[in-house]
């Protein structure tokens, strides 16, 4: 039964229970209002329920757990509210559960016995409490999205058992404590970790240097300390690395050339010291390099002109001195679009070389 994007409006009628043989109900992308249809529980063969992109309201009924055949339940981008009922744990065949972009409140639900679950999206709600250790009881889960809620507490060590996880997104919450160093230790498929805008503390986790499939690591705007982990050089699929606005110290890693496909390296607003390693010039993929607002010293290596794809270079608010090498300025003729430094006093920047001086 497919009526997606048909400008259907009003409530879902009770007469829907007459469709007792349907396996798919797709009413997404309409203007439906009212509550979750209670009569859906009578559709015992229903496998796919897609109600996203509507204006439905109210709380979810506890009899949502009666939909034993359900494989996909997507009610995202509505205005559902209240608590998420624990009865969802009766959906033993569910693979896709998407409750994102609603107004669900109260404690994060305990997720138990959902052995077939592959995709869990609870982001952009107002859920509180901790990330439950019971998530470890979803051994098949590939993607977990918990961002933009009000979650607190720490990450349970049991989460390291999610060996098939590909995406873990929990940014913009209030999660604190150390991020488990052996999180994802047994994982060989992880592609993205987004935990920015939280309150994590302690040393930057090394992840045991095993995440060879990881392409996006966003840990910025936390309170991480420590130095750049040498173990990360084995993350050879990394494309985006965002670490700005933490309290990292020590020197920049000369092994940045070990990331063969890295495009974005943002480490601004930390306490990094030392000089820019000449080895940075060996990066043939880097497009954005943000090193501003640190305590870097020395001069700009002329070898940086060999970074063939560099488009943005930010070095302001450091203790770098000397002149911008002519070789680096000549990059403005080709790929380099934006360059900012402390060229009011500390650094000499030739005309038409720096886009912005501080």
């Amino acid at each position: 039964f497919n009526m997606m994007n048909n400008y259907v409006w009003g409530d879902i009628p009770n007469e829907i229970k007459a469709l007792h043989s349907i396996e798919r109900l797709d009413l997404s992308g309409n203007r439906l209002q009212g509550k979750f249809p209670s009569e859906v529980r009578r559709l015992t063969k229903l496998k796919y329920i897609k109600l996203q992109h509507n204006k439905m309201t109210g709380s979810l009924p506890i009899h949502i757990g009666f939909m034993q055949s359900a494989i996909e339940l997507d009610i995202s981008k509505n205005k559902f509210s209240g608590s998420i009922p624990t009865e969802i744990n009766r959906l033993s065949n569910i693979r896709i559960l998407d409750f994102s972009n609603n107004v669900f409140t109260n404690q994060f639900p305990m997720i138990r016995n959902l052995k077939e679950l592959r995709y869990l999206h609870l982001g952009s709600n107002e859920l509180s409490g901790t990330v439950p250790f019971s998530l470890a009881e979803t051994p098949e889960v590939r993607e977990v999205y918990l961002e933009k809620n009000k979650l607190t507490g720490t990450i349970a060590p049991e989460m390291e058992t999610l060996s098939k996880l590909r995406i873990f997104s929990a940014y913009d919450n209030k999660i604190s404590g150390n991020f488990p160093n052996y999180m994802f230790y047994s994982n060989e498929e992880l592609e993205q970790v987004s935990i920015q805008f939280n309150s994590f503390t302690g040393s930057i986790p090394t992840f045991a240097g095993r995440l060879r499939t990881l392409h996006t690591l966003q840990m910025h705007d936390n309170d991480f300390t420590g130095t750049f982990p040498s173990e990360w050089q084995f993350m050879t699929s990394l494309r985006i690395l965002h670490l700005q606005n933490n309290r990292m110290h020590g020197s920049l890693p000369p092994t940045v050339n070990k990331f063969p496909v890295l495009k974005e390296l943002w480490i601004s607003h930390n306490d990094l010291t030392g000089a820019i390693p000449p080895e940075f010039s060996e990066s043939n993929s880097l497009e954005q390099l943000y090193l501003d607002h640190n305590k870097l010293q020395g001069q700009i290596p002329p070898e940086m002109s060999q970074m063939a794809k560099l488009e943005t270079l930010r070095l302001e608010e450091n203790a770098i001195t000397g002149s911008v090498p002519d070789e680096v300025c000549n990059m403005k003729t080709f790929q380099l679009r934006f360059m900012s430094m402390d060229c009011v006093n500390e650094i000499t920047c030739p005309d038409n070389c720096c886009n912005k001086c501080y």
Side-chain angles (χ1 to χ4, degrees), residues 149-169:
N149 278 288
K150 299 179 179 179
L151 302 178
T152 56
T154 60
I155 298 289
E158 290 86 350
M159 293 279 286
E160 70 181 54
T161 62
L162 299 178
S163 60
K164 296 183 179 180
L165 193 64
R166 293 178 181 171
I167 297 177
F168 180 72
S169 177

Side-chain angles (χ1 to χ4, degrees), residues 47-50 52 70-76 91 93-99 114 116-121 141 143:
K47 295 180 179 180
Y48 304 93
I49 306 100
K50 299 173 70 66
Q52 69 269 27
I71 294 175
E72 178 178 358
L73 176 57
D74 190 344
I75 59 171
S76 61
L91 304 177
N93 293 306
I94 201 73
R95 293 190 177 191
I96 299 175
L97 202 57
D98 193 342
F99 290 0
L114 301 184
E116 301 298 321
L117 187 65
R118 265 68 165 178
Y119 179 98
L120 176 65
H121 200 334
V141 71
E143 300 181 25

Side-chain angles (χ1 to χ4, degrees), residues 108-112 130-138 154-162:
F108 189 104
M110 295 294 285
I111 304 293
R112 294 185 181 276
T130 61
V131 178
F133 65 88
S134 61
L135 270 179
E137 299 177 18
T138 57
T154 60
I155 298 289
E158 290 86 350
M159 293 279 286
E160 70 181 54
T161 62
L162 299 178

Side-chain angles (χ1 to χ4, degrees), residues 96-110:
I96 299 175
L97 202 57
D98 193 342
F99 290 0
S100 63
N101 290 277
N102 280 285
V103 202
F104 288 114
T105 57
N106 299 326
Q107 293 287 311
F108 189 104
M110 295 294 285

Side-chain angles (χ1 to χ4, degrees), residues 77-260:
K77 297 183 178 178
N78 278 284
K79 297 180 181 179
F80 290 113
S81 59
S83 300
I84 296 177
T86 57
E87 283 76 10
I88 61 171
N89 290 310
R90 298 179 61 181
L91 304 177
S92 56
N93 293 306
I94 201 73
R95 293 190 177 191
I96 299 175
L97 202 57
D98 193 342
F99 290 0
S100 63
N101 290 277
N102 280 285
V103 202
F104 288 114
T105 57
N106 299 326
Q107 293 287 311
F108 189 104
M110 295 294 285
I111 304 293
R112 294 185 181 276
N113 305 316
L114 301 184
K115 304 298 184 183
E116 301 298 321
L117 187 65
R118 265 68 165 178
Y119 179 98
L120 176 65
H121 200 334
L122 301 178
S124 297
N125 281 287
E126 296 181 11
L127 296 170
S128 58
T130 61
V131 178
F133 65 88
S134 61
L135 270 179
E137 299 177 18
T138 57
E140 298 296 322
V141 71
R142 267 69 164 177
E143 300 181 25
V144 174
Y145 300 90
L146 310 175
E147 69 273 4
K148 294 187 176 182
N149 278 288
K150 299 179 179 179
L151 302 178
T152 56
T154 60
I155 298 289
E158 290 86 350
M159 293 279 286
E160 70 181 54
T161 62
L162 299 178
S163 60
K164 296 183 179 180
L165 193 64
R166 293 178 181 171
I167 297 177
F168 180 72
S169 177
Y171 68 86
D172 203 359
N173 280 286
K174 297 179 181 179
I175 306 172
S176 59
N178 293 342
F179 194 84
N181 195 38
Y182 281 86
M183 183 82 165
F184 317 121
Y185 180 77
S186 60
N187 191 299
E188 296 182 356
E189 301 180 10
L190 194 69
E191 298 176 358
Q192 176 180 335
V193 176
S194 298
I195 56 171
Q196 65 269 34
F197 293 109
N198 276 287
S199 300
F200 287 109
T201 55
S203 296
I204 289 277
T206 66
F207 300 119
R210 296 173 56 90
L211 305 180
R212 299 181 185 273
T213 56
L214 188 70
H215 63 69
T216 300
L217 180 56
Q218 296 170 306
M219 306 179 71
H220 58 89
D221 290 273
N222 279 286
D223 204 21
F224 285 118
T225 58
T227 60
F228 197 98
S230 60
E231 294 89 343
W232 285 6
Q233 64 182 298
F234 300 109
M235 299 180 186
T236 52
S237 297
L238 205 59
R239 297 177 187 172
I240 297 175
L241 179 56
H242 291 176
L243 301 171
Q244 69 271 25
N245 289 300
N246 280 290
R247 292 195 295 124
M248 296 177 63
H249 60 269
S251 57
L252 290 170
T255 54
V256 69
N257 59 316
K258 300 294 184 181
F259 303 116

